[in-house]
Amino acid sequence: MVSLTPLLAMLSSLAAVPLIALSGKRPNLREAFTFAAGITKLLLVLSMLPVILAGETVTYTLWEILPGLAIRFRVDAMGILFALVASSLWIVTTIYSIGYMRGLKEHAQTRFFCFFALALSATLGVAFAGNLLTLYLFYEILSLSTYPLVTHHQDKEARDGGRKYLSYLLASSIGFALPALIASYLLAGTLEFTGTGFLGGTASPAVLTFLLLLFVFGFAKSGLMPLHGWLPGAMVAPTPVSALLHAVAVVKVGVFSVLRVFTDVFGLETLKTLFISGIKAATIVAVLASITILLSSLIALFQDNLKRRLAYSTIGQLSYIILGAALLHQTAVAGALSHIVMHAFGKITLFFCAGAIFVATGKKYISQMVGLGRAMPFTFAAFFLGSLSVIGLPPAGGLLSKFYLILGSLRGDEGLFMIVFLVSSLLNAAYFLPITFRAFFPGDKAVDEVSLAGIREAPLWCVVPPVVTGLLSIALFFFPETVFRLASLAVGAGGTP
């Protein structure tokens, strides 16, 4: 089905940028334009959902550069699943941003909302990319558009974090992903996504394995070690930006791009037969992802800064998705896709809570939050709900995506990687659950009398969003049908994974 809709969905937030910029002196109007763009984007994405659920795709070619080389949009099950997450959470993040930015009287708020909108356009461009070239272009636009957000505070710490952020992402994409993209075009004569891959049989196993690794490390937004250092450094950004980075846009674009490489550049069936020196190429990626999962979880356990603990948690959760793809079993890949959704709602809740705590108290270290649950019950209740989803405990949606990841590892006869998932989930519980427990049950009456004097919940605009996303994390446990239907369609399973 040929339609302008994917292009319009991508452009809706871009079109709002000049309107947001021109209304800088009228904050209410500025935010109204942001909401209008967000709602328009979500409605355009939703309008394509029935077509995709019927098993069809929506395409639009913007510019045919060369045969097999075009700026093309293609909406399929994988793309619309990611787009639904990004477009819906942008609206919630905008609500939260208003409360956070105004609550702290942040400077340059108009610039913040402009680049926020630009970043969401780039995210939709990646989600709806019809080929590797289009995906790569919007991937780079996202890196550049989020740099001003990371360096928003414009102090030395922000500049250092921003330099590391941009250096890691541009060096990896230009040094690894771009050469792999050019080589892929020379080998296959096309970069078009087909659902079955276009590189199969085009080169020797050694060359294809090398290209696979170039792509995996080239899309460094996925946070795979050792190219993960930009992610904790980016925590110098305001909390709404951290939420954007970790739940909606940047890191999810990284793992989404890696999933596209597995499913649409190589194809799962090709990768199942791709061996080098008797080792399956995908197993190399699986081992790298497993190391990242376990090491990041251990590092998170010893972080006292709440945002840094959340950052290392994100690094591990991203590698859950990469590991699921590398297992090459339909159930595991469907679990990886669904984990993009489940982790997004859980992790954005946690970052929202971290920001609400900072707005209300100025505290950013976990050791300072003992007993705060009694003064900020809604915030810490939401934090608990988000934690359940990331850990994978009932009744949160994260349990279902992790279940399919584990089930896929068993069906693919990869029991060792099942152990990685289970051990990591225990570590998730070890670094998240004590935060909520000590917030509500400090075990020291002096906390109530001295430390909590005058502390109350953050402004409503900072409290409602995490409560909503926390409840949605629970709702995804009871109503996961659309998520898993799209995930199964994306991997060609047809029905349930």
Side-chain angles (χ1 to χ4, degrees):
M1 176 180 172
V2 178
S3 172
L4 269 171
T5 308
L7 178 63
L8 295 175
M10 186 274 294
L11 290 176
S12 59
S13 49
L14 181 62
V17 171
L19 299 174
I20 295 169
L22 291 172
S23 56
K25 294 182 178 180
R26 301 174 65 185
N28 291 337
L29 181 61
R30 178 187 63 202
E31 271 82 307
F33 284 133
T34 304
F35 278 122
I39 293 169
T40 301
K41 184 183 290 289
L42 178 59
L43 291 175
L44 287 169
V45 173
L46 286 172
S47 71
M48 295 182 283
L49 184 58
V51 177
I52 306 306
L53 287 173
E56 300 180 26
T57 58
V58 180
T59 63
Y60 182 77
T61 301
L62 184 63
W63 180 27
E64 186 82 33
I65 304 170
L66 292 170
L69 201 64
I71 306 300
R72 179 173 290 117
F73 299 97
R74 177 176 179 268
V75 185
D76 58 8
M78 185 184 298
I80 202 164
L81 184 61
F82 183 34
L84 283 169
V85 173
S87 56
S88 60
L89 287 181
W90 183 34
I91 297 172
V92 183
T93 307
T94 298
I95 296 171
Y96 180 83
S97 298
I98 294 170
Y100 184 92
M101 302 299 280
R102 294 188 183 186
L104 292 178
K105 296 180 173 59
E106 287 279 358
H107 74 292
Q109 293 185 28
T110 300
R111 184 187 68 196
F112 172 89
F113 283 105
C114 284
F115 281 102
F116 221 89
L118 182 57
L120 264 294
S121 280
T123 302
L124 265 288
V126 171
F128 292 157
N131 55 40
L132 196 54
L133 175 63
T134 308
L135 185 149
Y136 180 81
L137 289 176
F138 281 101
Y139 181 95
E140 297 290 42
I141 292 170
L142 181 62
S143 299
L144 297 172
S145 63
T146 48
Y147 173 76
L149 296 173
V150 173
T151 59
H152 178 81
H153 291 307
Q154 297 179 308
D155 54 15
K156 184 179 184 302
E157 187 182 19
R159 289 193 298 270
D160 290 344
R163 277 194 293 269
K164 176 182 282 189
Y165 174 78
L166 210 56
S167 297
Y168 269 78
L169 297 187
L170 290 183
S172 59
S173 61
I174 295 173
F176 299 145
L178 182 58
L181 181 152
I182 295 170
S184 298
Y185 181 71
L186 292 174
L187 287 171
T190 183
L191 296 175
E192 296 298 314
F193 295 149
T194 62
T196 57
F198 58 80
L199 277 182
T202 59
S204 67
V207 170
L208 292 179
T209 300
F210 182 61
L211 288 177
L212 177 65
L213 293 175
L214 283 180
F215 278 123
V216 169
F217 284 113
F219 293 123
K221 289 185 177 76
S222 64
L224 193 68
M225 290 182 175
L227 299 180
H228 69 291
W230 65 270
L231 209 154
M235 291 303 97
V236 297
T239 300
V241 178
S242 300
L244 171 78
L245 293 176
H246 288 258
V248 183
V250 177
V251 296
K252 293 303 191 299
V253 161
V255 291
F256 180 84
S257 299
V258 172
L259 284 170
R260 280 293 192 200
V261 167
F262 272 82
T263 60
D264 290 88
V265 175
F266 288 88
L268 298 181
E269 295 305 316
T270 295
L271 289 171
K272 288 177 182 178
T273 62
L274 186 59
F275 287 81
I276 181 169
S277 301
I279 301 173
K280 191 183 296 184
T283 301
I284 300 173
V285 178
V287 170
L288 292 170
S290 298
I291 293 170
T292 302
I293 290 171
L294 296 176
L295 283 181
S296 61
S297 298
L298 288 170
I299 294 171
L301 197 58
F302 297 99
Q303 300 299 312
D304 190 33
N305 184 297
L306 180 55
K307 285 178 66 176
R308 285 185 66 84
R309 181 172 293 195
L310 295 177
Y312 279 103
S313 167
T314 296
I315 292 170
Q317 296 295 318
L318 294 174
S319 283
Y320 272 60
I321 298 165
I322 296 175
L323 177 54
L327 293 176
L328 305 181
H329 191 282
Q330 284 185 335
T331 301
V333 180
L337 279 169
S338 62
H339 199 61
I340 289 179
V341 181
M342 305 307 183
H343 176 257
F345 281 89
K347 186 54 63 71
I348 203 169
T349 300
L350 298 177
F351 271 104
F352 282 167
C353 291
I357 293 166
F358 184 72
V359 169
T361 69
K363 300 180 187 296
K364 57 184 179 180
Y365 293 100
I366 296 167
S367 57
Q368 300 173 328
M369 298 177 186
V370 177
L372 276 185
R374 299 184 179 186
M376 306 177 66
F378 289 104
T379 298
F380 278 92
F383 190 94
F384 178 66
L385 296 180
S387 299
L388 291 180
S389 189
V390 176
I391 296 167
L393 291 174
L399 172 66
L400 300 178
S401 57
K402 287 194 176 185
F403 171 78
Y404 279 110
L405 286 167
I406 292 170
L407 184 61
S409 64
L410 289 175
R411 287 179 175 176
D413 295 322
E414 301 284 2
L416 181 61
F417 296 116
M418 179 200 70
I419 295 173
V420 171
F421 286 128
L422 293 174
V423 171
S424 174
S425 293
L426 290 174
L427 290 171
N428 299 162
Y431 62 66
F432 274 142
L433 292 182
I435 297 174
T436 308
F437 183 82
R438 296 181 66 198
F440 282 110
F441 308 105
D444 186 350
K445 292 183 179 180
V447 171
D448 294 320
E449 299 168 1
V450 180
S451 302
L452 303 184
I455 293 178
R456 64 188 66 181
E457 292 279 8
L460 201 61
W461 289 70
C462 285
V463 176
V464 171
V467 171
V468 169
T469 53
L471 291 174
L472 287 173
S473 295
I474 303 303
L476 284 168
F477 176 82
F478 295 101
F479 307 101
E481 293 83 4
T482 301
V483 172
F484 284 104
R485 171 66 174 161
L486 290 171
S488 62
L489 284 172
V491 298
T496 55

